[in-house]
Amino acid sequence: MNMRENDRAAWLYGPSAKCRAALTSKPTRWRIVLLGPPGVGKGTQAAFLTEQLGACHLSTGDVFRAARSQRDKTPSPAMAAALDYMSRGHLVPDEIVWQMVCERIGCLRCNGGFVLDGFPRTLAQADSLRKLMEKEQLRLDAVVNYVLPPAEIVARLSGRRTCDKCKAIFHVTSQAPKQQSICDHCGGRLYQREDDHPESIAVRLDAYEKSTAPLIQFYRNRGLLVTVVATGSPAEIFQRTTMALQARRESGQQVGPETYVQQ
Ligand code: AMP
């Protein structure tokens, strides 16, 4: 059994892993969903946000990648099917994603709040989340929608490199590591994700348009949408994100008009 006490990434290691951070309660707790096309920088922003807010960072993509990297274990038939969809750039079927999220329901209940990154990605997933949160009497505080022109998305995805140890993200031109293919932070090996290859990028962008983009209206209708322009450096995008969230909280907004933050 893989027990990692006091580890905010415990949910990555499966339902048996424990996270004791759930015992602390923060007055500034946030429950947030990050929306936006692949490559817009949700993972980087989620890492900044969870660091600042002390919330759980739940990335369904990271769960699938963690399952794939456990070479010593044979994945369950459902997980093996999920990994096959993922490597081709397709969305994993809703039932498998939902089963995985339900296994980690403790993270959604966490008193420190959560940042959902890459989930929900379809209307069915958003509806399942809505029902579950209603049942648990939990309220979503905001949905941050990152926007970026398509050409820039493709450039970001095709140049993205990820550390195989600490998961830090680099870019071959705009955020190059000091030493080629070596992580600046931990010395791990930088690799290109299988689904960042050109043929998979096209499939992923198509899946985003068809299945995920409708969530923008879904959350706009619920007064939860905060739109942030994702151009510039990760630090600039983060500053825009925190400004938008702060403005939302200061205005006491739970249900209200959309917030739009540019430069
Ligand atoms: P990400 O790291 O969020 O870009 O996710 C990588 C891949 O994992 C996606 O392209 C999908 O194949 C799969 N995936 C992650 N989250 C979901 C989800 N909520 N629904 C369906 N597929 C997902």
Side-chain angles (χ1 to χ4, degrees), residues 38 42 59-62 64-65 82 85-86 89-94 97 117-122 125 160 193 195 204:
K42 297 187 296 294
S59 153
T60 38
D62 277 354
F64 293 130
R65 280 184 286 280
Y85 281 102
M86 182 184 169
H90 291 286
L91 290 185
V92 173
D94 289 335
V97 175
D117 153 21
F119 175 85
R121 244 179 166 107
T122 64
Q125 291 176 16
R160 179 163 68 178
R193 279 168 44 171
D195 56 353
R204 288 164 72 201

Side-chain angles (χ1 to χ4, degrees), residues 33-138:
V33 166
L34 301 188
L35 265 190
V40 83
K42 297 187 296 294
T44 306
Q45 295 305 314
F48 285 155
L49 278 168
T50 50
E51 169 95 30
Q52 172 155 318
L53 306 174
C56 273
H57 173 191
L58 309 182
S59 153
T60 38
D62 277 354
V63 172
F64 293 130
R65 280 184 286 280
R68 190 176 45 199
S69 65
Q70 290 185 325
R71 296 185 203 285
D72 49 324
K73 283 192 195 160
T74 311
S76 66
M79 186 54 91
L83 298 181
D84 184 48
Y85 281 102
M86 182 184 169
S87 62
R88 287 180 291 124
H90 291 286
L91 290 185
V92 173
D94 289 335
E95 309 76 61
I96 303 178
V97 175
W98 185 242
Q99 190 187 334
M100 199 182 69
V101 170
C102 287
E103 281 178 358
R104 291 158 178 85
I105 192 168
C107 294
L108 296 180
R109 292 181 185 134
C110 179
N111 279 331
F114 58 72
V115 178
L116 294 182
D117 153 21
F119 175 85
R121 244 179 166 107
T122 64
L123 282 172
Q125 291 176 16
D127 211 43
S128 299
L129 178 66
R130 181 187 62 79
K131 285 185 191 140
L132 179 75
M133 289 189 68
E134 254 171 42
K135 189 166 147 239
E136 296 285 327
Q137 298 187 314
L138 299 171

Side-chain angles (χ1 to χ4, degrees), residues 185-229:
H185 311 295
C186 73
R189 189 185 63 89
L190 302 185
Y191 71 100
Q192 182 174 35
R193 279 168 44 171
E194 213 175 358
D195 56 353
D196 280 347
H197 294 165
E199 56 286 4
S200 299
I201 291 178
V203 178
R204 288 164 72 201
L205 291 177
D206 193 51
Y208 169 78
E209 279 307 325
K210 286 200 182 111
S211 307
T212 312
L215 295 187
I216 297 171
Q217 194 57 40
F218 178 91
Y219 285 118
R220 183 180 282 133
N221 291 345
R222 285 161 180 77
L224 287 167
L225 206 70
V226 175
T227 300
V228 173
V229 175

